[in-house]
Amino acid sequence: MKVYRADQLDNLEEADRPAGPSADGLENPVRDILAQIGEDANRDGLLRTPARVAQSLRFLTSGYHQNVDQVLNGALYDVAYDEMVIVKDIEIFSLCEHHLLPFFGRCHVAYIPTKRVIGLSKIPRLVDVFARRLQVQERLTTQIAETLMEKIKPQGVGVVIEAKHLCMIMRGVEKQNSVAITSAMLGVFRDEIETREEFLSLVRSRS
Ligand SMILES: [Zn+2]
């Protein structure tokens, strides 16, 4: 009889996983990085680290392999609705392309339909497609807005992202609580002050 403690199961599962041919091409470069920073990549605690880092990097950059049309999957509906639609407080996690360190925060998306709306749950998924890449916050904001503009053909789109960047916070470049705010306003959100203000005031109201 073998008895396993629950806290050992994680290690056991990893030890059972085959190495070798199936190993991710990222593992060796990660091992090199460990050596370069002065670590012993062969000590116990780091043995599986290259595999874990490879796996997590693949996930955090999985947006490169996602197709926007597949994600939206036809979730566009013809509806006689022309009021503003807002999805607030979408959590975003991305990697800055300058330091490969996370930036994270919230994204707010609004649009005014012409006669087509998109399934609400698709908006956070669309945000993830672009967030799970190496990014700068400005481009992430613009890509989300332009993609919605192209796919829904609404009267306009507004996107605001508020995010903290670990490359600034951890390196002491900025005060701990500083938040970078970016926005992209297209169509009526750019042309009409009232529309833009309605969106921004809804974003600002904490509820
Ligand atoms: Zn950075």
Side-chain angles (χ1 to χ4, degrees):
M1 183 168 65
K2 279 187 169 180
V3 179
Y4 300 109
R5 292 205 334 255
D7 61 359
Q8 292 172 331
L9 292 177
D10 188 37
N11 291 332
L12 180 80
E13 188 188 331
E14 284 171 3
D16 288 346
R17 203 177 296 153
S22 65
D24 192 306
L26 279 171
E27 291 184 30
N28 282 334
V30 173
R31 211 167 277 119
D32 290 343
I33 290 172
L34 291 173
Q36 286 296 327
I37 63 176
E39 264 291 356
D40 171 10
N42 293 315
R43 70 176 171 84
D44 269 0
L46 294 180
L47 275 181
R48 298 292 302 165
T49 296
R52 291 193 198 94
V53 172
Q55 198 182 6
S56 91
L57 255 185
R58 295 287 180 202
F59 174 73
L60 297 175
T61 58
S62 56
Y64 289 117
H65 308 290
Q66 286 183 312
N67 177 302
V68 168
D69 290 318
Q70 278 173 353
V71 168
L72 299 184
N73 190 26
L76 296 166
Y77 310 99
D78 289 341
V79 177
Y81 183 81
D82 60 0
E83 301 293 323
M84 191 180 299
V85 178
I86 301 189
V87 180
K88 258 182 78 168
D89 295 329
I90 301 166
E91 286 193 313
I92 55 155
F93 298 91
S94 191
L95 291 175
C96 94
E97 69 181 20
H98 303 129
H99 304 90
L100 303 192
L101 286 171
F103 65 94
F104 58 95
R106 287 175 304 184
C107 176
H108 316 285
V109 174
Y111 70 98
I112 298 181
T114 305
K115 65 182 180 80
R116 213 145 60 131
V117 299
I118 186 172
L120 285 181
S121 67
K122 297 294 185 182
I123 293 179
R125 298 201 51 202
L126 180 75
V127 168
D128 277 344
V129 169
F130 294 109
R132 288 182 185 151
R133 299 178 186 202
L134 304 187
Q135 282 288 8
V136 294
Q137 185 177 329
E138 295 87 342
R139 187 176 62 225
L140 174 59
T141 312
T142 307
Q143 284 176 334
I144 295 165
E146 288 179 346
T147 303
L148 284 169
M149 200 71 188
E150 181 194 328
K151 298 299 175 188
I152 321 181
K153 306 214 182 329
Q155 299 177 48
V157 173
V159 176
V160 170
I161 294 179
E162 309 169 89
K164 293 186 174 190
H165 292 245
L166 288 190
C167 63
M168 297 166 80
I169 297 168
M170 292 181 76
R171 297 185 313 136
V173 178
E174 287 288 335
K175 298 275 184 256
Q176 300 263 321
N177 286 317
S178 72
V179 174
I181 301 178
T182 47
S183 70
M185 302 289 166
L186 303 177
V188 290
F189 285 79
R190 187 187 49 212
D191 300 335
E192 295 174 7
I193 292 175
E194 310 81 53
T195 303
R196 188 164 61 237
E197 280 306 313
E198 184 186 352
F199 171 44
L200 292 176
S201 70
L202 283 162
V203 164
R204 278 189 293 261
S205 71
R206 294 282 166 237
S207 53

